Amino acid sequence: MSSIRIKDAAALLGVSDDTVRRWIDGGSLAATKDESGRKVVDGKALADFAREHATPPPDPLGVGSSARNRLVGLVTKVTADKVMAEVQMQCGPFTVVSLISSESAAELGLEPGKVAVAVVKATTVIVETPGGMS
């Protein structure tokens, strides 16, 4: 069983420690105590909680797509030359960077402040685990 401290659970969920404590006190999220007497959350329980309570922003495009990884976000920076454009987006707590043609960036009207959807469809996704969290 993987035990996750409250502060780490909060960071993973993008909320405050107090929010996680309220969920525990309210019975929405189960917790136990570790050998030091600190409250911890079971990793699987936290994953289930995160999946059940995920509320992504609505997709403004509303189009059908085979891609399941659709990240709604805000364009924060566009750097373009004659051929290519680097588009940076903030999608929740994550920054997504895409390289597209300058022509496509112009056609889409991409500029800081525009809402857009980053669609990720990759044949390779690398999964890593941090050394301090098992």
Side-chain angles (χ1 to χ4, degrees), residues 30-105:
T32 58
K33 291 195 177 186
D34 67 8
E35 58 279 351
S36 300
R38 293 178 298 213
K39 284 186 180 178
V40 293
V41 178
D42 171 64
K44 177 154 181 0
L46 186 63
D48 291 343
F49 182 87
R51 190 173 43 257
E52 290 167 9
H53 293 85
T55 54
D59 188 332
L61 302 179
V63 298
S65 175
S66 65
R68 298 291 180 246
N69 302 312
R70 302 174 61 80
L71 308 171
V72 178
L74 189 65
V75 176
T76 57
K77 185 176 181 184
V78 178
T79 306
D81 63 17
K82 290 182 180 181
V83 179
M84 296 299 293
E86 178 184 278
V87 179
Q88 294 183 24
M89 294 176 57
Q90 195 65 37
C91 301
F94 303 104
T95 300
V96 176
V97 179
S98 178
L99 296 175
I100 63 175
S101 71
S102 291
E103 182 179 351
S104 292

